[in-house]
Amino acid sequence: MTAQVDYLAVLYTTTSGASGDLLGSDEKEIGQLVWQIVDLQTKKLGRVNELIISSEQSEVTEEKEEDGEGVRAQEKGSAESISTVTSLQRALNQFHLILTNEVNIAGRGTSVCLCTDGQLHIRQVIHPEAAGKNIVVPDCFYTFFDLRKEFREHFPLSDVKSLDVHFMADSLSLTVDTPAMQDPLTVLAPETAVQQVQTMANIVLALLSEPLCHTFKNPERVYEKFESGTCSKMERVHDNTVIRARGLPWQSSDQDIARFFRGLNIAKGGAALCLNAQGRRNGEALVRFISEEHRDLALQRHKHHMGNRYIEVYKATGEDFLKIAGGTSSEVAVFLSREDQVIVRMRGLPFTATHEQVLAFFSQGEGLKESCPVSGGQDGILFVRFPDGRPTGDAFVLFACEEHAQNALRKHKDILGKRYIELFKSTAAEVQQVLNRYSSAPLIPVAPAPLVSVMPTVSLLPSPGGMRDCLRLRGLPYTACIEDILTFLGEFTQDIRPHGVHMVLNQQGRPSGDCFIQMSSAERAFAASQRLHKQVMCGGGGGPRGVNSRYVEVFPCSADEMGLVLMGGSLSHTHTHTHSRSRSGTGLSPPPCKSRRLSPPNYFTSAPAMLPADAAALYPPIGQVLLSPRHLPPGHAYYPASAQLYMNYTTYYPSPPGSPSTLGFFPSPSPMTSPGGLVRMPGLAYSNGVKDLISAVQGFQSPIEAMPLLSNSLMGQSSGGDSLMPLPQLMAKQAGQYLDLTLL
């Protein structure tokens, strides 16, 4: 509406609670509507109308009627027409009816617009209460003029927030009979609202008269509907337009948030529900408004109620909003580009689910009343995937209307394939957030900070053209052990090199689902990947269709690639797999565990330990190990000659068969003086002494004088768990071998 209107309806509301600048901040119900028509062409005033909202059992109304206060039409400053209704819905309908009749009787035009003293009467009083009671608000309440802003066009030095009716009347040299506003925490007297309306009508006439000759042409607008949309991470979001709402019901949607903030204009796609680390809603949301003024009004709704829960409202930043709602995927932008679509999230899908299966899942219904066709067919389905293309089990589906979405939600926990599917109503911001979480974050973190600082600047990525004589198994059951892996490999077990099975642990020291296997030749590795890719492995001794059964992906890889991943790095170049399209090699496996019980002490200890000469060569400084990894001597029986051994990582990756999972064998740099081997015991307590070590290896022939405890070179104390001792040939694999006992 840009053209000048014919009539203004000057409106003033009161509640049973606070007034003035705190009007509507306490969720009190509306008690009074007062208005007066102003003819903008003839500059004449209509009658003052008063509408009292009171329940039928209200004792206050009965007392006022007994005291004669129910008819104040003859008193000075009272309304000329007074009506009483019992509910807000009746009050709004009767207000619209009286206003329309009065305009039609005047006969000099039909366009009318409300005019209020500030934003609170419309945005913080009428719309919030109507939304809370599910009342349809007449169209006339969606546009209005803010008298303070209209006044400020001619008096620009005035602050909108500090303006009031008395200040504007004094500036225009108008005589005001009404007293100044009382304490905003007190309830206004009924006659005060009538006097305020009469003063506001005189201010409008003064603005219309010379020399100001003001024109009312750009009204304020209240958004009737929240518009969903997308937000780019490159978009600039001002900090003074964003709030954080906390304490939302877990099942709330963006439309519920928009209903809570009804009357305030939320930017397109400006309601973003926050998710926790498990991908579930955590009861918080970030809301972006079109201006700082609306944000400040939203903060006044702190601890207002949504159902039976009160909602906390705090300031937030634009960066916070972009982290949740911002996206960069063009696929998501196309998916969310359709207008007036309802989004439903599917969780728990089988990894082999297809578009056709999803369409068939929602097409099943007993009749037309329960039909829920997917909008756009296959284009209305978006599967969530990891960066390497693997499905996550989540998907988002579009429906054309709310009715179809509600029918779809009735299929919650219905079966698709052999799994039940969870269904939730979702939002565009949640789509962005879920896609960002799975697509932007790597599957594993980068190498630990102490190691990154000493990494060389040159690329450590192996050449993709190396001999691919190793296998990588991905997606192992977390309960799978070495025996399960050997059973899974079947006839290919005989092609495994001695100590060639390397299970990968995560940062907590638990199985990560990855495993590397060194095969006898590239041909056998290729044949194994052809035969075993996506076959089912049973973990923990379960049956072929047990709870712990999972299909396992099998890829051929080179020893250099395996060594890089075992070192804690990742592969960034693309590997072309025989069975599928190109996949990104980023994030093959988690970095090593940082637990002291599983990690070598030299990872945590800055001061070098005092080692015997024969053993010191096995543990060079960590920087030297990373910058120039040592190749093993040719013909070693436990690792291939081409493999690189990173001493500070091998303890995380035990290498059966042939030894328990807590043992690791390493070559001795020089022949020992007597047949046998050395054993290293990390993880000992600081108070352990020689007697404790003798007791631990009781029954073996081991001289006392050959059991030194490693000491801290700076403090002269035990190094926190290291001991080197010679071990008889009974326990050593071969003479001259060095045994690492990681868990004593």
Side-chain angles (χ1 to χ4, degrees), residues 134 183 191 202 204 523:
N134 294 322
D183 184 1
E191 59 272 11
N202 292 328
V204 171
E523 290 75 14

Side-chain angles (χ1 to χ4, degrees), residues 638-688:
Y638 303 106
Y639 288 90
S642 60
Q644 291 180 344
L645 181 61
Y646 299 92
M647 301 299 299
N648 51 328
Y649 286 99
T650 47
T651 54
Y652 316 125
Y653 313 105
S655 48
S659 63
S661 59
T662 57
L663 297 179
F665 292 89
F666 306 99
S668 177
S670 60
M672 299 185 64
T673 57
S674 61
L678 289 175
V679 63
R680 173 175 176 264
M681 294 184 248
L684 299 178
Y686 285 92
S687 59
N688 285 344

Side-chain angles (χ1 to χ4, degrees), residues 296-552:
D296 293 341
L297 293 176
L299 293 174
Q300 294 185 13
R301 301 194 186 183
H302 179 61
K303 291 194 174 182
H304 283 202
H305 288 76
M306 178 185 292
N308 295 326
R309 299 174 64 102
Y310 71 85
I311 308 301
E312 300 174 353
V313 182
Y314 305 97
K315 292 182 180 180
T317 64
E319 182 181 0
D320 295 336
F321 182 81
L322 289 178
K323 287 180 181 179
I324 300 299
T328 57
S329 173
S330 58
E331 183 183 9
V332 178
V334 173
F335 178 77
L336 298 175
S337 61
R338 297 183 178 89
E339 298 293 337
D340 300 329
Q341 301 288 338
V342 184
I343 306 173
V344 171
R345 180 181 179 182
M346 305 180 70
R347 191 166 61 197
L349 287 169
F351 293 146
T352 57
T354 62
H355 290 82
E356 290 75 13
Q357 290 176 324
V358 174
L359 292 175
F361 177 80
F362 287 109
S363 63
Q364 300 171 358
E366 298 179 357
L368 295 176
K369 293 184 179 181
E370 295 188 2
S371 64
C372 46
V374 178
S375 177
Q378 294 188 6
D379 295 335
I381 303 173
L382 178 65
F383 286 102
V384 183
R385 301 183 184 275
F386 287 109
D388 56 2
R390 291 182 297 133
T392 64
D394 283 22
F396 293 94
V397 184
L398 292 177
F399 294 94
C401 61
E402 187 70 29
E403 180 182 0
H404 289 172
Q406 292 299 328
N407 291 338
L409 292 175
R410 294 191 184 100
K411 298 179 178 293
H412 181 60
K413 291 193 175 183
D414 282 3
I415 302 299
L416 191 156
K418 295 185 178 180
R419 304 190 62 175
Y420 72 86
I421 309 301
E422 296 178 294
L423 300 176
F424 307 94
K425 196 172 181 180
S426 185
T427 66
E430 184 175 356
V431 176
Q432 292 279 22
Q433 192 175 172
V434 172
L435 267 293
N436 291 342
R437 173 165 298 176
Y438 284 112
S439 62
S440 60
L443 298 183
I444 64 167
V446 295
L451 301 180
V452 173
S453 60
V454 297
M455 291 291 285
T457 57
V458 297
S459 175
L460 289 177
L461 293 178
S463 172
M467 180 180 295
R468 307 174 75 81
D469 57 351
C470 299
L471 289 177
R472 180 196 173 200
L473 275 61
R474 184 171 64 187
L476 300 175
Y478 294 122
T479 57
C481 59
I482 298 298
E483 290 73 14
D484 296 321
I485 295 175
L486 298 180
T487 303
F488 174 77
L489 293 176
E491 62 180 278
F492 296 100
T493 303
Q494 61 185 358
D495 300 305
I496 302 176
R497 296 194 181 190
H499 297 264
V501 180
H502 306 267
M503 295 192 69
V504 182
L505 307 180
N506 60 17
Q507 288 183 323
Q508 288 74 39
R510 299 173 181 173
S512 65
D514 278 16
C515 175
F516 287 93
I517 300 176
Q518 295 174 283
M519 304 294 287
S520 59
S521 65
E523 290 75 14
R524 297 301 294 170
F526 177 76
S529 65
Q530 290 271 11
R531 180 80 60 84
L532 302 174
H533 183 61
K534 289 194 175 181
Q535 296 298 313
V536 176
M537 176 187 289
C538 308
R545 297 296 178 186
V547 178
N548 296 325
S549 300
R550 297 184 63 179
Y551 76 85
V552 178

Side-chain angles (χ1 to χ4, degrees), residues 195-196 421 431 501 568 701 722:
Q195 295 171 353
Q196 290 286 326
I421 309 301
V431 176
V501 180
Q701 299 174 2
D722 268 11

